Amino acid sequence: MDNPVLVEVTRGNIVESRHRGSIAIVDADGKLAFSAGDVEQGIFARSAIKALQAIPMVESGAAEALAFDDAELALACASHNGEETHANSARIMLFKAGLTEEDLMCGTQWPKHMDDCVKLIKTDESPCQLHNNCSGKHAGFLAMAKTLGVSTDNYIGYDHPVQAEIRNVLEQMGGSILGRDTCGTDGCSIPTYAMEQQKTALAFARFATGVGLDPVRANATEVLYEACVNEPYMVAGKNRFCTEIMDIFKGRVFVKVGAEGVFCAALPELGFGVTLKCDDGAERGAEVMMASVIRSLLPLSEDEEKGLHAWEHQQLMNRRDILVGEVRPVEDIKRLLKAL
Amino acid sequence: MDNPVLVEVTRGNIVESRHRGSIAIVDADGKLAFSAGDVEQGIFARSAIKALQAIPMVESGAAEALAFDDAELALACASHNGEETHANSARIMLFKAGLTEEDLMCGTQWPKHMDDCVKLIKTDESPCQLHNNCSGKHAGFLAMAKTLGVSTDNYIGYDHPVQAEIRNVLEQMGGSILGRDTCGTDGCSIPTYAMEQQKTALAFARFATGVGLDPVRANATEVLYEACVNEPYMVAGKNRFCTEIMDIFKGRVFVKVGAEGVFCAALPELGFGVTLKCDDGAERGAEVMMASVIRSLLPLSEDEEKGLHAWEHQQLMNRRDILVGEVRPVEDIKRLLKAL
């Protein structure tokens, strides 16, 4: 495997660091529209597929039975900052299901941004499982278990009906065969599967278009797509790529980050799904790659251009707010992606 | 440039991410004893060369005039955690020079570890420049300016006598020619220079041995080497590679991390200097590379073996403390380094 350098980090006039990666852009028939690097490799898409993992919650009727609104549906697809809004919304989702924070099995996590940590500490509160970036997803899993009438105990287990159904949906959406041999444990303790990168992209092309899905599933993917693009703040929060990009693109783009430098995206107007992985797991590298993909694929309004540019050419400021460098796409990525 | 994959990150049984890098191991005559990847590239060694940047402080007589003890000398070479001990020690260094925190120009930074942030917040204190990981180095610069009788204003400037003298010392130690064309701005606002990787390693072979240095400089490097290995806690702090490795190796190894995945090391008993760079800037990648280098070069006691293993095979725990994977050297790095 020798994926190309796609992103470089400069300091002054010199390139200081480099990020390699692979990109798969696939249509809803599974045709690879564009690729960089090895897109047949199995990758853990981690949190980038939370919107797929939320499909059973909608299909099962749990979301409707508990009257989850768009903000709550978006939170079920989120890797949120653990801001007050996010934690409260997760608490309400659990309340609607007759559950509490204690039923979660995602683990405790400090909020992502220091100002939110300071707020907690100043009020003598400790971070809890509601602040875990995955709390909305876990609340969704628990809601589904309750609606199915199965035990909520160890809902994160490989054999639990919730995880088994998620595995089915992932297999059907992308066409991968998933099992224990390709299974790892995610940061929030649920099973995560190494899936062929271009098959994950296919899943998002279907998510974007509904093509090839039965009506119930097509409805579920539409409900989740709309929820995320309508409530992008719930998907991540302040100063975050997913929130800002979905905010700027007003429904044209669904995009979701995953740990270890993964992104998935759905672009309905082109019918494309995108999955990319930064080899080394760096989020900054993956963000710049994703921004470059969006620029290359979509005609941009002035606002979209401006908002996207800030994420595609990330200015590096030092501790006295002096501009010292930039994280930016290499010339090659621009050429490659323009050649589409 | 196509540096080899040296470190891999696993999840379950699958490799999830990969780190490439370059390693130069050089003796005090400048002979390359071992290399991986392109070691003629210019790299910003960043904070990994703080011990070289501290040489003028000792040579100028400032350290002696102000009676800096080993802990303070080590802090001048440190990228510390901003723990109470570190901040207080920086304050005392400045006090000895007749200066205060306000004279620093490194910028404010939160302590590295959350428990130290919580301590500050609980006592209604804000982080200040003393908590900046470079505050000891900056206190050393200011001490030198005072002792030289030059202005302390803008002591971080390219043309300030302190920075000019550091540039001279770096050129003499490694043999690079440094100038504005290879200069960037560091995180703490001082000039940082892209130096040929193997020349930086040569500088650390000389730092390790004193070979080729005039007596005044050889004394300065010995003073700084001894200070760091005697007071490793001041060089970094709790849960940090540099502190733990220097603690375990009791004088056999000097090692120092720099931002963007750099490490420099000095191994007096072999007469080697080491400089390595993780291509993508990841600290975890650089740590595992450095641990592998040490293992490959030095015969290990049982304690050294145990302490080193924990950094060479870094266990990845998730938010519920479940072991989910490992950061580890690839088989190749072991073979390459054993072939020395």
Side-chain angles (χ1 to χ4, degrees):
Chain A
M1 194 201 64
D2 224 15
N3 292 329
V5 173
L6 297 174
V7 172
E8 59 191 19
V9 183
T10 65
R11 183 165 298 268
N13 298 319
I14 292 167
V15 174
E16 182 168 27
S17 296
R18 292 167 178 83
H19 298 290
R20 291 168 184 264
S22 51
I23 303 172
I25 303 175
V26 173
D27 70 19
D29 298 323
K31 193 176 149 270
L32 198 58
F34 169 80
S35 72
D38 176 10
V39 295
E40 291 180 6
Q41 66 177 331
I43 62 164
F44 293 113
R46 310 287 301 273
S47 289
I49 57 163
K50 277 176 174 162
L52 306 181
Q53 293 167 326
I55 291 173
M57 174 188 73
V58 180
E59 283 185 343
S60 67
E64 204 176 347
L66 301 178
F68 285 160
D69 62 16
D70 271 0
E72 289 158 345
L73 291 168
L75 197 75
C77 304
S79 298
H80 62 72
N81 285 340
E83 299 170 37
E84 210 175 338
T85 313
H86 302 124
N88 281 341
S89 187
R91 196 193 316 269
I92 292 166
M93 288 175 76
L94 290 165
F95 177 78
K96 286 181 173 179
L99 300 167
T100 73
E101 184 260 353
E102 286 177 14
D103 294 292
L104 292 172
M105 295 185 71
C106 48
T108 292
Q109 184 181 12
W110 281 100
K112 188 171 181 87
H113 295 309
M114 204 58 195
D115 58 334
D116 293 302
C117 297
V118 171
K119 227 186 276 181
L120 277 186
I121 296 162
K122 288 257 186 215
T123 54
D124 263 334
E125 253 190 281
S126 292
C128 68
Q129 296 196 84
L130 296 171
H131 299 97
N132 184 307
N133 80 86
C134 302
S135 64
K137 178 181 72 177
H138 280 247
F141 293 163
L142 284 165
M144 181 182 157
K146 285 288 269 190
T147 306
L148 292 179
V150 300
S151 168
T152 55
D153 288 356
N154 198 35
Y155 66 90
I156 59 174
Y158 184 90
D159 291 321
H160 188 280
V162 167
Q163 299 305 330
E165 181 54 16
I166 288 169
R167 194 159 53 246
N168 284 340
V169 169
L170 293 177
E171 288 187 334
Q172 291 160 8
M173 290 293 288
S176 291
I177 307 298
L178 306 179
R180 288 194 183 272
D181 55 324
T182 53
C183 183
T185 304
D186 215 324
C188 66
S189 298
I190 67 162
T192 178
Y193 307 95
M195 300 192 290
E196 203 178 299
Q197 188 171 346
Q198 63 180 10
K199 290 186 175 170
T200 304
L202 167 60
F204 277 92
R206 289 174 170 162
F207 181 79
T209 59
V211 171
L213 305 180
D214 68 56
V216 173
R217 178 149 308 161
N219 173 65
T221 57
E222 197 184 337
V223 163
L224 291 166
Y225 186 98
E226 289 301 320
C228 291
V229 300
N230 288 339
E231 297 283 353
Y233 203 89
M234 300 307 283
V235 178
K238 63 192 168 212
N239 302 324
R240 291 282 302 280
F241 185 95
C242 298
T243 293
E244 291 194 8
I245 295 298
M246 287 198 279
D247 202 34
I248 296 162
F249 280 88
K250 299 190 192 349
R252 299 179 73 194
V253 174
F254 165 88
V255 67
K256 182 67 189 67
V257 73
E260 290 294 329
V262 178
F263 264 102
C264 290
L267 307 170
E269 72 192 66
L270 301 172
F272 286 160
V274 182
T275 301
L276 66 82
K277 165 92 173 99
C278 179
D279 285 9
D280 57 71
E283 191 161 297
R284 66 182 184 185
E287 286 173 347
V288 170
M289 291 175 203
M290 193 68 238
S292 283
V293 166
I294 293 171
R295 171 183 304 283
S296 302
L297 295 175
L298 293 178
L300 302 176
S301 71
E302 207 172 300
D303 279 357
E304 289 166 346
E305 158 61 36
K306 199 179 149 196
L308 192 64
H309 188 270
W311 285 103
E312 194 185 11
H313 291 261
Q314 298 185 17
Q315 298 204 318
L316 292 176
M317 315 304 287
N318 80 357
R319 296 214 168 77
R320 285 172 65 234
D321 263 340
I322 299 166
L323 178 67
V324 293
E326 190 183 35
V327 190
R328 67 187 185 198
V330 297
E331 283 303 317
D332 275 355
I333 194 177
K334 293 184 192 165
R335 261 204 307 276
L336 282 167
L337 291 167
K338 272 183 195 152
L340 264 176
Chain B
M1 195 201 61
D2 224 15
N3 292 330
V5 173
L6 297 174
V7 172
E8 58 192 18
V9 183
T10 65
R11 182 165 298 268
N13 299 318
I14 293 168
V15 174
E16 183 169 26
S17 297
R18 292 166 177 84
H19 297 290
R20 292 168 182 264
S22 51
I23 303 172
I25 302 175
V26 172
D27 71 19
D29 298 323
K31 192 176 148 272
L32 198 60
F34 169 80
S35 73
D38 175 12
V39 296
E40 291 181 5
Q41 66 177 330
I43 63 164
F44 292 113
R46 309 287 302 273
S47 289
I49 56 163
K50 275 175 174 163
L52 306 182
Q53 292 167 326
I55 290 173
M57 174 189 73
V58 180
E59 284 185 343
S60 68
E64 203 175 349
L66 301 178
F68 285 160
D69 62 16
D70 271 0
E72 289 159 342
L73 291 169
L75 197 75
C77 304
S79 299
H80 62 72
N81 285 339
E83 298 170 37
E84 209 174 338
T85 313
H86 302 123
N88 282 342
S89 188
R91 197 192 315 269
I92 291 166
M93 288 175 75
L94 290 166
F95 177 79
K96 286 181 173 179
L99 299 166
T100 73
E101 183 260 351
E102 287 178 16
D103 293 292
L104 292 172
M105 294 185 73
C106 48
T108 293
Q109 184 181 11
W110 281 100
K112 189 172 180 87
H113 295 309
M114 203 60 195
D115 59 333
D116 293 303
C117 296
V118 171
K119 225 184 277 179
L120 278 186
I121 296 162
K122 288 256 186 215
T123 53
D124 263 335
E125 252 190 282
S126 292
C128 67
Q129 295 196 85
L130 296 170
H131 299 97
N132 184 305
N133 80 84
C134 302
S135 64
K137 178 181 72 178
H138 280 247
F141 293 163
L142 283 164
M144 180 182 158
K146 286 288 270 190
T147 307
L148 292 179
V150 300
S151 168
T152 55
D153 289 355
N154 197 35
Y155 66 91
I156 59 174
Y158 184 91
D159 290 321
H160 188 280
V162 167
Q163 299 305 330
E165 181 54 17
I166 288 169
R167 194 159 51 246
N168 283 339
V169 169
L170 293 177
E171 288 186 334
Q172 290 160 10
M173 289 293 288
S176 290
I177 307 299
L178 306 179
R180 288 194 183 272
D181 55 324
T182 54
C183 182
T185 304
D186 214 323
C188 66
S189 299
I190 67 162
T192 179
Y193 306 95
M195 299 191 291
E196 204 179 299
Q197 188 171 347
Q198 63 180 10
K199 290 186 175 171
T200 304
L202 167 60
F204 277 93
R206 289 173 170 164
F207 181 80
T209 60
V211 171
L213 304 180
D214 69 55
V216 173
R217 177 147 309 161
N219 173 66
T221 58
E222 196 184 338
V223 163
L224 291 167
Y225 186 99
E226 289 301 322
C228 291
V229 299
N230 288 340
E231 296 283 354
Y233 203 89
M234 300 308 281
V235 178
K238 64 191 166 213
N239 302 322
R240 292 281 303 279
F241 184 96
C242 298
T243 293
E244 290 193 9
I245 294 299
M246 287 197 280
D247 202 34
I248 296 162
F249 280 88
K250 300 189 188 351
R252 298 179 73 196
V253 174
F254 165 88
V255 66
K256 182 67 189 69
V257 72
E260 291 293 329
V262 178
F263 264 103
C264 290
L267 307 171
E269 73 192 66
L270 301 173
F272 286 160
V274 182
T275 302
L276 66 82
K277 165 91 173 99
C278 179
D279 285 9
D280 57 71
E283 191 161 298
R284 66 182 184 185
E287 286 174 348
V288 170
M289 291 175 203
M290 193 69 236
S292 283
V293 166
I294 293 171
R295 171 182 304 282
S296 303
L297 295 176
L298 293 178
L300 302 177
S301 72
E302 207 171 302
D303 279 357
E304 289 166 345
E305 158 61 36
K306 200 179 147 198
L308 192 64
H309 188 269
W311 285 103
E312 194 185 11
H313 292 261
Q314 298 185 16
Q315 298 203 318
L316 292 175
M317 315 304 286
N318 79 357
R319 297 213 168 77
R320 284 172 66 234
D321 264 339
I322 300 167
L323 178 67
V324 294
E326 191 182 35
V327 190
R328 68 187 185 198
V330 297
E331 283 303 318
D332 274 356
I333 194 176
K334 292 183 192 166
R335 261 205 306 277
L336 281 168
L337 291 167
K338 271 183 196 151
L340 263 176

